[in-house]
Amino acid sequence: MNRREFMQFSALTTLTSAGLFPTLSLADTVNNKRRIVVLVELEGGNDGLNTLVPYTDPIYQDKKIRRNLTLSKSQVIDVGSNMGMHSSLKPLKGLWDKDQLAWVQNVGFAQPDGSHFRSRDIWETAGTFNHIPDEGWLAQVLPQRSYGVDGIVVGQGLGPMSGKRCRSVVMQDPKTFVQQAESLDDLDLECSNPSLQHIVDVQKQLHGAKDVLERSARMRHIDRYFPVRRTFNNDLRSVAKMIVGGADASVYKVSLGGFDTHASQAVPHKNLLHYLAQGLDSFSKAMISSHMWDNVVVMTYSEFGRRIKQNLSGGTDHGIAAPMLVMGGKVKGGVLYGHNPDLKNHDNWNVRHEFDIRSVYGTITENWWGYENPWANQGKIDFV
Amino acid sequence: MTRKLDLNASRHLVSRTGFGVEWTSVNQLVGNTPEQAINKLLRKVSYRTPGAGYFTPWNVQQNLMESSNSDHKKRMHTMMSRENHRLKEWWVGHMMNTPSPILEKMTLFWHSHFTSSLNKVEQPSLLHQQNLLLRKHALGNFGNMLKDIAKNPAMSIYLDGHLNEKHAPNENFARELLELFTVGRGHYSNHDIREVSRAFTGWGVNRYQQRHQFNHKDHDEKPKKVLGKTVQSGDEVLRVLLGSRHTANTIAKKFWSFFISDGAPDVRYTSVWATKFYQSNYDIKILLREVLTSKPFWDEKYRGTLTKSPADLVIGTLRTLPFKRMPKKEMVNIFRLLGQDLFDPPNVSGWKGGHYWIDSQTLLVRKELLSGWSGANLNTKVNRGDQYRNLSVEEYEKWLLPDKAVRELPALTGGKPRLIRSLTLDPMYQLT
């Protein structure tokens, strides 16, 4: 029996073990033990070298290269292997120590061209320089369903969850969402006008999502884990409420903007990483206390890293590869996957990519969800 | 096409070139040929805009920004957010009242093409200045607009051009100039970007006087090679870019998405438009006429295949129907919730438009807005649009919707407000 046959077989008999095939198994939806991915997009291209820092590398410390930006030993949290996390990430140190946080280094894709838009398209669709599929990568791996909601974006744009096969919604927060969706009627219609069909489809999904989110809108006990009022924290709080409230989505997405630091980068970047860490810290605490931490993988991504060499505006221009942060109760953490960034053998002052983004997506798809991995030829990284 | 415009065709032309389908505007064009109607639209365009109010001078703002006193900083933030908001209200107000909606629509088009944001620029007077520049050229010459925009202070700050110096090249402006503003993806190399950024070194900004400033000592004098041609200055780069037919193509395709349909541009037509545009030396009116008299523009299969932008929906509805006007301040917030925060685009590529206007979040806001408006009593004090008393259900449908309603419409015996509510809440109302 090959893999595919096995999956079909298990669908018929619900023979699945411990939630390996979540949406196919009845037990899963009942016990509320879904396997969830939370994507955190760092918009603009995060400076990976000042996030997971090769602080002992003489090229990194060379003042001619990163004059205003190099971080010294006291400005990083050592994580071994001559690498350190930016000190702003301190709230996450506990998770690293507990082996629940990992870094996948040098992730990128072939033929990068430095465009925000093209790069974002590639990240969202698992595409390549020459081919951008017309649906997001999640639509390509999640099994098709006719009920509930597969993906929820708190913020703007469906991004990786776009595509007809994915039942996904965008919202500001679940409470407002449910209030507003109350008045919608259930419209079911096939039409030849694609613009009209799009509206009808969105309305249909809203109607479906409303029912599964009604409970999440209440979950007020989650508020205490999010003492800081900032859009990013509020968005993560919404995600936490939906997860704890039993929404059946497999994937959530939030984003933090401002990483396109072409000028005077040091202070704003430090602040951004602080916001990121604070939000993720709150989120992990909410998950741990709700016994959902083992069911969640949080993963950051950004359209590209930044140049090894700073520009003279005190910022950095668009780069290539960068590290991704992965955390969760079942993440094989306390590990740096891949080699340290090679600053010597650079590509026009860019860090070359070691892992293709599709190997990260493939790992999530196969190891975490147990679905068929369309990118198996790219290899896996086994961080989960 | 020589056929004369009927109600359907006339509402089509009006809604695609302006905001909504004001009864008088639609009726004025019925019985004209398309050419006559387009001439009428382009004839007396009024370029006048109301005053935008007071903007705090840069030196005052800067003193407060750099002050170590936290009260000063707080005051600065309050002041800035007030002035930012007022600028947005200014434009929304003008869209509501202008006698030349076609000019505002085109200004909005260019705002999404040559875009900049208050968020990054942090000086509202400069965004106001940029808006006036875009309006001045909106129906004029694209080449002249490009030359002006390259020296526009808001643009230089938005894309870090003012930080681009000989010993510290910054590629931000160069990249977007090639990728988004002119030739487009696939028609330049990363090497071109570096060369273009060198050509624009020294193009600075004087924030106090709100003007472009060329800093000779920061300029890289050495020759550069751009798209295979040797140039020295930024002006020469712009000439090279305008000399490429790909630039005309970029704009022609954008016109398709703005005037014809959400679907992919039909290159059989856009390439013809691009050629005419290129041959006219980038005369925007010539391109516009070409589009508005083209076969696809009038082809019924494209009716109702363009998603209304928030401006189309909000301004268009309020200009068309006698709903209760809302304060400008509230309108600005609605624009933001609908995903078209004026002067604060999501990123340098502007608003994606089309299907992207509608996701689960914005569809909810759209429905709620229309439900609120159409559920309230019609405002009899507003004269606009209230001259349609004796229409049949079919005529109302033809006037207010681009194509047949999706849901069943109530009979007129249930009252006019009820019919109009049904029409505006129909999914077809989201399209034009």
Side-chain angles (χ1 to χ4, degrees), chain B residues 3 28 59 61 96 113 136 181 191 193 219 225 238 247 269 311 324 336 341 345 353 371 373 379 390 395-396 422:
Chain B
R3 208 159 49 106
Q28 264 167 19
N59 57 336
Q61 190 185 329
M96 273 303 292
H113 184 74
K136 177 180 151 199
F181 299 165
H191 184 254
I193 292 180
H219 182 64
K225 200 151 194 189
L238 298 180
T247 298
Y269 296 102
K324 193 169 182 300
R336 182 175 51 77
D341 195 4
S371 175
W373 278 341
N379 182 358
N390 301 318
E395 284 168 316
Y396 272 120
S422 268

Side-chain angles (χ1 to χ4, degrees), chain B residues 247-362:
Chain B
T247 298
N249 239 321
T250 300
I251 305 299
K253 283 185 183 161
K254 275 200 165 177
F255 266 52
W256 176 282
S257 312
F258 198 72
F259 288 107
I260 310 283
S261 168
D262 293 340
D266 186 334
V267 291
R268 286 173 304 173
Y269 296 102
T270 55
S271 62
V272 174
W273 304 345
T275 304
K276 290 263 167 79
F277 189 38
Y278 185 80
Q279 285 166 350
S280 75
N281 198 21
Y282 294 99
D283 184 328
I284 296 165
K285 266 191 192 156
I286 286 187
L287 175 61
L288 187 60
R289 271 178 209 278
E290 200 59 39
V291 173
L292 298 183
T293 53
S294 68
K295 193 161 166 281
F297 184 81
W298 294 103
D299 192 333
E300 298 211 351
K301 81 172 184 206
Y302 291 119
R303 299 282 164 90
T305 62
L306 203 53
T307 305
K308 282 181 180 170
S309 70
D312 284 320
L313 190 81
V314 177
I315 307 286
T317 301
L318 293 179
R319 283 185 74 123
T320 304
L321 292 164
F323 292 152
K324 193 169 182 300
R325 292 286 191 97
M326 55 198 323
K328 280 187 277 186
K329 198 172 178 170
E330 213 175 308
M331 282 171 80
V332 166
N333 289 333
I334 294 287
F335 266 68
R336 182 175 51 77
L337 288 174
L338 291 175
Q340 194 175 28
D341 195 4
L342 298 173
F343 299 107
D344 268 317
N347 57 51
V348 51
S349 70
W351 289 274
K352 280 187 178 173
H355 295 186
Y356 291 96
W357 287 129
I358 291 189
D359 59 31
S360 44
Q361 175 58 30
T362 58

Side-chain angles (χ1 to χ4, degrees), chain A residues 112-118 120-121 129 155-158 168-172 177 179-181 184-185 187 189 193-196 198-200 202-203 206 260 262-263 307 311-313 317-318 348, chain B residues 160 163 167-172 175-176 179-180 185 188 190 194 262 303-307 336-337 339 346-349 352 355-356 358-361 363-365 367-368 406-407 427-428 430-431:
Chain A
D113 75 345
S115 155
H116 287 290
F117 319 107
R118 192 65 172 188
R120 199 171 292 150
D121 287 347
F129 179 77
Q156 283 188 329
L158 285 175
S168 41
V169 292
V170 183
M171 65 171 67
Q172 284 172 288
F177 176 82
Q179 278 168 2
Q180 291 177 331
L184 283 181
D185 49 351
L187 198 62
L189 177 79
N193 174 348
S195 302
L196 182 63
H198 174 68
I199 294 168
V200 169
V202 171
Q203 185 153 336
L206 282 169
D260 195 15
H262 283 280
R307 220 66 65 83
N311 62 29
L312 292 183
S313 321
D317 291 323
H318 302 179
N348 211 350
Chain B
D160 301 313
L163 304 172
H167 299 294
N170 187 309
E171 296 171 4
N172 205 3
R175 178 184 299 281
E176 310 310 357
E179 181 182 344
L180 301 172
R185 284 190 61 76
Y188 59 88
N190 270 330
R194 284 192 285 276
D262 293 340
R303 299 282 164 90
T305 62
L306 203 53
T307 305
R336 182 175 51 77
L337 288 174
N347 57 51
V348 51
S349 70
K352 280 187 178 173
H355 295 186
Y356 291 96
I358 291 189
D359 59 31
S360 44
Q361 175 58 30
L363 185 61
L364 285 178
V365 180
K367 294 265 171 176
E368 203 165 60
V406 171
R407 294 186 304 187
M428 189 53 79
Q430 303 298 329
L431 304 169

